Amino acid sequence: MLPEPRPLDRIDRAILRVLQTDARTSNRALAEHVGLAPSSCLARVQRLVSEGVLAGFHARVDPRPLGLSLQAMVFIQLSTHGGSAIDDFRHRLLALPEVVQLFHVGGAQDLLVHVVVRDSDHLRRLIGDGIAAHREVRHIETNVVFDHDTRPVPVDESPGTVVS
């Protein structure tokens, strides 16, 4: 179990902003950017990792050069919700290599699954053979993704205002 994270100060938040933009930033450059000695900066990053605030460092891979040119969001409504039904089904979905993100959501649907596939035939087979064939599935809706954007998590104490 992770220790309870301490409140984040302005330097912690600055470290998070930089690392979300470029996780490959060297400790020396990070320390210079946030105004700390490299050893103090490294200690802060290590604390943020040990407390679970920094959950990992990732490379963002463009799926197209890998031959995965189609992305879709698959909304799944399950017929069974009791016991470990949802968790068991989630684990089966996560075993599919095409699944890149999975969300357990509230509302009319139970799961939102982000998939990457080669083409529409691959998507059809994945939905028909890999997802819909399970007895727990009541209903599926699939939306093709034309484009998407990813933003860093807001780390400021008051993360902006609603735009109307």
Side-chain angles (χ1 to χ4, degrees):
M1 181 171 223
L2 295 173
E4 184 72 25
R6 291 185 274 176
L8 302 177
D9 64 16
R10 68 174 183 76
I11 294 175
D12 292 330
R13 293 173 190 282
I15 289 170
L16 294 173
R17 276 192 295 278
V18 170
L19 291 178
Q20 282 191 100
T21 303
D22 183 2
R24 292 179 7 158
T25 301
S26 71
N27 184 61
R28 182 177 305 281
L30 182 59
E32 185 176 310
H33 182 81
V34 300
L36 289 177
S39 59
S40 298
C41 186
L42 181 59
R44 284 204 184 222
V45 170
Q46 289 171 337
R47 179 178 55 81
L48 291 167
V49 169
S50 71
E51 292 177 351
V53 177
L54 278 170
F57 298 84
H58 308 278
R60 190 172 62 233
V61 176
D62 183 346
R64 293 172 295 193
L66 301 172
L68 302 168
S69 61
L70 184 64
Q71 296 186 48
M73 302 303 281
V74 182
F75 298 87
I76 303 172
Q77 184 181 58
L78 299 177
S79 58
T80 308
H81 297 93
S84 61
I86 291 178
D87 285 340
D88 292 345
F89 189 66
R90 287 176 61 206
H91 291 297
R92 279 185 273 166
L93 288 175
L94 288 170
L96 299 171
E98 297 91 346
V99 173
V100 294
Q101 291 186 328
L102 187 145
F103 302 91
H104 181 189
V105 297
Q109 307 301 327
D110 297 302
L111 301 169
L112 172 58
V113 186
H114 179 190
V115 299
V116 294
V117 293
R118 288 184 304 280
D119 52 33
S120 60
D121 285 337
H122 186 183
L123 179 61
R124 182 182 46 77
R125 284 192 308 279
L126 173 67
I127 298 300
D129 300 336
I131 298 175
H134 294 281
R135 62 175 166 52
E136 300 96 325
V137 175
R138 175 181 292 166
H139 180 74
I140 292 180
E141 288 183 35
T142 304
N143 293 326
V144 172
V145 174
F146 293 123
D147 200 1
H148 73 285
D149 299 299
T150 303
R151 296 195 51 207
V153 172
V155 296
D156 296 325
E157 290 190 46
S158 54
T161 57
V162 176
V163 177
S164 54

